[in-house]
Amino acid sequence: MGMDFQVVVLAGGTSKKLLPLVSKEVPKALLPVANRPVLSYVLELLEQSNLKDLIVVVEGEYAALLVGGWISSAYVDRLHVEVAAVPEDVGTTGALRAIAHHLTANDILVVSGDLICDVPPGAVAAAHRRHDAVVTAMLCSAPICGPSESGSSSGKDKAKKPGRHNVIGLDPTKQFLLHIAAGAEVEKDIRIQKSILRAVGEMEIRADLMDAHFYAFKRFEEVLNQKETFQSLKQDVLPYLVRSQLRSELLLNGAQAEENGNEKDASQNNKIKLSQLLSNASTPSFHERYALGLKGSASVSRKTHKCCVYIASKSKYCARLNSIQAFSDINRDVSCYSGGPSRLLVTGDASHLSGYSFSAQNNIIHPSAVLGSKTT
């Protein structure tokens, strides 16, 4: 991917949600998924897209030391990784704020270290650049989760149901994010900015999509500086950017026109701009219509920013290891597991991500196996 994005991987620390799986000696980033640290899946996804200059942020000095040591041995001569230690429990936004002096690029990719997926990062970056967005979030189908049901007639688990992770509002083109609720907000009544509804006309509400915690940001340091109380990208920063994308502040050139008494000229310029937009082959976004006035009659331009989405195909695998249940589900998906009444080995939905080869009988021989030795 030949785009000059700076890449930050948020690897976490010793998440309380994953106790007792994690410990001082085994931080979250090193939890095994098909006998590989979970962090390896994101690193190799980025490497495949030629994104090899990375900042990996780890909560806790000792955890950062362990993660850094593993990366140095596993990716020597493959990746250039700077491991940054931040205080524990600072949140995702706090972690980025702690390394803000390293964030020098205009565009930044931020990805969670517990993400396992096969969606190319270049697709998210391209959508971000195409729309000149302030943020682009990758959405994917909510993963199927839940306890296994013994006696299932196939490799799938009948008791497993899609999780409800987010309530998401999209414009009719499914390119722009109009509303997002996460965490406790999912259970509350939906509240939408009137200005957004008036500008877009209609909105599609989805509860079957998950925020994958894979973002592209533009000039992110401005948000970090303005909102020092924000702790979570998912629950604070993203909803704030979505709510404020149609702001009423005046653009500099519009304000100058008004001050100089040239309101008529500004209005005429806006009409010309709107007619140019309408004459293009592509339909102008509601942001562009709003900025120039619905009929191009606004005396001054209004400031907007775009919050976009990239929706991964349903054929793509996407899950986050952020709970004990997810740890079990993902390991089953990425590995072979016993399913059905005959207990035959069944290849998981995401076994192609494991890096292992499977025989016709779905057997795996790990490269480290030694003839005559016993392994588990």
Side-chain angles (χ1 to χ4, degrees):
M1 186 176 75
M3 297 184 178
D4 52 342
F5 279 81
Q6 198 167 6
V7 183
V8 179
V9 179
L10 299 177
T14 53
S15 172
K16 295 181 177 64
K17 293 181 180 179
L18 290 167
L19 291 174
L21 296 177
V22 297
S23 65
K24 182 180 179 181
E25 299 300 327
V26 184
K28 177 181 179 179
L30 300 183
L31 277 179
V33 172
N35 293 326
R36 288 170 46 190
V38 62
L39 183 60
S40 69
Y41 291 87
V42 160
L43 296 185
E44 294 192 9
L45 180 70
L46 295 169
E47 182 184 25
Q48 290 166 9
S49 295
N50 202 33
L51 293 168
K52 300 181 180 181
D53 197 354
L54 318 173
I55 301 175
V56 174
V57 184
V58 184
E59 294 182 14
E61 293 283 350
Y62 188 64
L65 188 65
L66 293 174
V67 173
W70 169 75
I71 291 176
S72 297
S73 61
Y75 292 92
V76 61
D77 298 328
R78 291 171 57 186
L79 299 175
H80 178 263
V81 180
E82 179 181 353
V83 177
V86 299
E88 296 182 18
D89 300 322
V90 294
T92 49
T93 305
L96 288 175
R97 191 177 288 113
I99 64 160
H101 57 288
H102 292 290
L103 305 180
T104 57
N106 192 51
D107 292 295
I108 298 170
L109 284 179
V110 179
V111 57
S112 178
D114 63 11
L115 178 66
I116 296 181
C117 77
D118 52 4
V119 179
V124 180
H128 183 69
R129 285 281 174 83
R130 183 169 61 251
H131 295 294
D132 190 28
V134 70
V135 61
T136 300
M138 185 176 86
L139 305 178
C140 58
S141 298
I144 305 296
C145 59
S148 298
E149 180 180 61
S150 59
S152 173
S153 60
S154 68
K156 305 294 182 182
D157 294 318
K158 291 182 178 179
K160 296 168 69 60
K161 300 178 180 179
R164 188 182 180 192
H165 297 265
N166 300 102
V167 175
I168 290 168
L170 301 173
D171 79 309
T173 68
K174 297 180 177 61
Q175 298 179 90
F176 299 106
L177 189 59
L178 309 180
H179 174 79
I180 185 165
E185 294 297 319
V186 170
E187 304 302 327
K188 297 181 180 180
D189 292 339
I190 297 176
R191 295 177 179 270
I192 310 295
Q193 297 293 109
K194 289 182 180 179
S195 59
I196 293 178
L197 276 181
R198 281 196 295 262
V200 74
E202 60 182 284
M203 180 174 64
E204 179 180 330
I205 299 293
R206 300 282 295 271
D208 61 332
L209 295 173
M210 179 187 78
D211 176 1
H213 216 281
F214 193 139
Y215 310 114
F217 287 104
K218 180 170 67 175
R219 295 191 297 273
F220 187 56
E221 69 279 0
E222 295 179 8
V223 177
L224 293 177
N225 294 335
Q226 292 175 8
K227 301 294 179 180
E228 296 182 356
T229 58
F230 283 175
Q231 291 187 320
S232 169
L233 291 177
K234 186 174 182 177
Q235 298 185 32
D236 295 324
V237 173
L238 189 57
Y240 163 74
L241 291 174
V242 170
R243 288 193 307 268
S244 62
Q245 60 186 309
L246 297 184
R247 296 180 294 181
S248 59
E249 295 99 310
L250 305 179
L251 290 176
L252 181 60
N253 59 353
Q256 287 176 333
E258 187 176 27
E259 290 173 3
N260 295 333
N262 296 328
E263 298 179 17
K264 185 176 180 180
D265 292 341
S267 176
Q268 184 63 30
N269 288 337
N270 284 346
K271 288 180 180 179
I272 294 172
K273 290 178 183 177
L274 185 61
S275 65
Q276 290 172 342
L277 286 172
L278 294 173
S279 65
N280 289 339
S282 58
T283 304
S285 73
F286 72 92
H287 301 87
E288 294 164 327
R289 288 177 175 272
Y290 178 86
L292 296 175
L294 293 178
K295 297 181 180 179
S297 58
S299 60
V300 288
S301 296
R302 288 173 285 193
K303 187 176 182 180
T304 70
H305 61 253
K306 298 176 184 177
C307 298
C308 296
V309 295
Y310 175 83
I311 302 178
S313 166
K314 289 185 178 181
S315 64
K316 295 294 185 180
Y317 184 83
C318 186
R320 289 187 61 199
L321 200 163
N322 53 8
S323 68
I324 292 179
Q325 183 63 56
F327 175 79
S328 174
D329 293 339
I330 292 171
N331 266 287
R332 184 205 60 247
D333 290 342
V334 177
S335 309
C336 282
Y337 64 98
S338 297
S342 60
R343 315 310 295 167
L344 295 175
L345 281 177
V346 179
T347 305
D349 293 340
S351 57
H352 61 287
L353 295 175
S354 68
Y356 302 139
S357 298
F358 295 85
S359 70
Q361 292 75 34
N362 289 328
N363 295 320
I364 306 174
I365 300 179
H366 193 273
S368 63
V370 178
L371 185 64
S373 65
K374 183 177 181 180
T375 60
T376 57

